[in-house]
Amino acid sequence: MKKVLAAILAIVLALGLCGCGAGDEVAGKGDFLGLQDGEEFTTDQEVAVSFIRPRGNDAQEAWWDETVAAFNTAYAGRIKVSSEVLVRGDNSSYEQQIGLRVAEGLPDVMYMDGPYVSNWAYNGMIIPIDNYITETYRTDFMDYVLDQGTYNDRLYALSIVDSTIMVFYRKSFMNEFLATKPKFADGSAITLPTSPENAWTFNQLAEIATKMTKSLAGNKKRYGLSITGDKTEWMSYAFSPMWGGNILGADALTATGNLNSAKGMEVGNYLRNLRKTNAINPSASGTDFYDDGVKEGTTGSDCKAAMYFTGTQNITKFNEFQNIAEDWDATYYPRNNDGSYSVPCGGWTLALSKDCAANKRVAAVEFIKYLTSVSSCESFASQTASPPSRKSLYESMDEYKDGSTVQNGAYVRIKQQIFAAAAPRTKTIAYAEFSPLLAKALNEIVSDANPNIQDKLNTAATTIDNKIKQASYK
């Protein structure tokens, strides 16, 4: 069934369905139709705005319920937002469900994963919002957030918070490990990085993870590192920077010769060696880092991973367990082995669908502006432990202020790596074809007992190129 849904989505996207609600035109770049900063929305009749989003974790759900209710109260009699919540799951099921609705009509405002902006803008599923958002409103957003939301020099989407990837670790295990005064293979001392400029390289992370793997009582294994994630696109999100920016060629549409290049083989061998050296658990469950956590209704077990290479969105999960909340810390995303540094970022964004009628667009954007206001971004960032999308909040939120001791300065390190080298996930109009297939290949390289790495990469590259060709992307 999942394969069928994926095929349907590919067909829908390949159609390049364009146009807007009720035959409405999209205004040209520079034609401003919205409200000026500080101007109040007025109407003779309440405007109904439909909104769709995926279900999030408990902290995210609480924020959405509170915030949408607060908006409807603040705009009572003027705008009424009705929300629909879908289960996202693995295998891009949320995106597939959206794709299946194109023919019958899309909700006015959609919450979508950032890398799909270019894909959905190209296919006409979303329309620009720069006709309704002032330049001054945009200036406080992080540059890479605006980059992620921009396609063909038009702004299509804005984010409330963002995500990035860190090397999380249990302080108790790390302190125990560092107390042995370990050294890298070259004889230099292993220490925690003090800035993004001296972040561990990927090879150093592998060395440390191998050294931290040990057997526990009863011959249970605690691995040095967990890299598990969902089967949708996590592996491509986490490891695509290792290609050094050349994973789909200059046109961002050509996998063969790029994804399966010598650089790709380096990445494949790196992942394979993590397993061969016992640095990772090839069948990790996703809870290995906090298996020993105990909360109401759960039973803890031996922790199965000392470190966790994962996204900031999982911090709220760690904090659900008192002993983990007091024991986790984080260091920077690793540098490439050649010293180059690019940190993958990219959160969920808010966009107008093609079916948002012209007479609703100002109201719909008022909802987007409410959700992306300074106060909303701050509350979402605070409640979900996610990096805010706005520059000013890194100076005003206590946990991100330079010198902060909140969680031993972990949030400051998140800020430092974002400001040093944040970049959107791979920007391509073929993201729906590219990312899941790359992730599949990388997952198989890790999980298969004896994978042929070149064959895995060749198959992924060929399949991606064929799907791009079928979709007639230009």
Side-chain angles (χ1 to χ4, degrees), residues 205-223:
L205 174 63
E207 277 195 65
I208 293 167
T210 302
K211 292 177 184 293
M212 290 188 78
T213 294
K214 63 182 294 186
S215 295
L216 303 176
N219 295 318
K220 294 181 179 179
K221 182 79 74 177
R222 184 185 74 218
Y223 291 86

Side-chain angles (χ1 to χ4, degrees), residues 333-363:
Y333 183 85
R335 303 182 73 83
N336 285 331
N337 296 320
D338 63 6
S340 61
Y341 198 44
S342 178
V343 175
C345 294
W348 284 70
T349 65
L350 294 150
L352 285 181
S353 85
K354 70 181 183 67
D355 295 316
C356 183
N359 60 359
K360 284 188 174 186
R361 290 176 194 165
V362 173

